[in-house]
Amino acid sequence: MSNLKIIQNLKNEGIFSRKLKKARFYKNIGMTISIPTEAIKGAYSDKKSPFIGLTSIRGRILRGIVISTKMQNSIVVRRDYLHWVQKYKRFERRHKNIPCHCSPFFRVKEGDLVTVGQCRPISKTIRFNVLRIEKQNLKFNENI
């Protein structure tokens, strides 16, 4: 009987009752984009993330400069491009502002160059997801 009590005491102290930590779910989204280490080691959940959530990336892959980080888990990316005007045989500069979902493991600031991928509609306006931060804090002119 004394052996049984010793084993029960050891179980209560936690020597035998170590819980095995479950492996965190993450997936490779393909397209030679590596999984961020914070996505694997982090202790948060983001169901809209392409790396640890249910969202898949399909369609366009774009690059742009972050111009706003004022929303929660979302950013606005400015994408500059040239448009050909046939009448004048010249290009004109244009831009689009793209709202994107940004997972919490990305530390994004205004001026960063990011790569975004198209996904299913996440909200009324958000159809893109941040995949990678290319460069930190590029200088940009807001009056372009």
Side-chain angles (χ1 to χ4, degrees):
M1 284 296 223
S2 62
N3 290 339
L4 184 61
K5 287 183 180 180
I6 292 172
I7 291 174
Q8 285 179 340
N9 289 338
L10 290 175
K11 284 184 180 179
N12 293 338
E13 290 175 10
I15 294 175
F16 289 116
S17 64
R18 291 183 189 153
K19 293 182 180 178
L20 294 176
K21 198 172 190 181
K22 285 187 178 179
R24 183 169 173 82
F25 170 77
Y26 61 91
K27 62 182 176 179
N28 184 4
I29 63 168
M31 299 175 285
T32 66
I33 294 174
S34 60
I35 303 168
T37 55
E38 292 182 19
I40 299 170
K41 295 179 183 177
Y44 52 84
S45 63
D46 183 16
K47 66 180 182 178
K48 297 177 183 177
S49 171
F51 301 104
I52 60 172
L54 303 174
T55 307
S56 62
I57 300 297
R58 80 284 191 282
R60 295 180 180 264
I61 306 294
L62 306 173
R63 289 173 59 180
I65 297 174
V66 177
I67 60 171
S68 175
T69 58
K70 295 176 183 175
M71 295 181 278
Q72 291 180 354
N73 295 333
S74 298
I75 61 173
V76 177
V77 175
R78 179 186 171 113
R79 184 170 169 262
D80 295 317
Y81 60 95
L82 298 174
H83 177 255
W84 175 254
V85 181
Q86 180 65 34
K87 180 178 179 181
Y88 299 111
K89 306 272 193 272
R90 287 182 172 87
F91 288 101
E92 66 181 1
R93 288 193 306 177
R94 290 186 177 182
H95 80 277
K96 294 281 185 190
N97 288 341
I98 304 170
C100 306
H101 176 75
C102 184
S103 295
F105 52 81
F106 287 119
R107 303 286 183 241
V108 180
K109 298 176 192 149
E110 292 183 11
D112 292 351
L113 181 65
V114 295
T115 300
V116 296
Q118 188 178 9
C119 59
R120 64 174 174 79
I122 292 176
S123 70
K124 179 182 173 184
T125 58
I126 296 177
R127 276 98 173 99
F128 285 86
N129 222 314
V130 175
L131 302 178
R132 174 190 313 148
I133 301 173
E134 302 287 334
K135 295 180 184 171
Q136 298 284 333
N137 288 330
L138 293 173
K139 294 181 181 177
F140 69 100
N141 188 358
E142 293 179 1
N143 298 325
I144 294 179

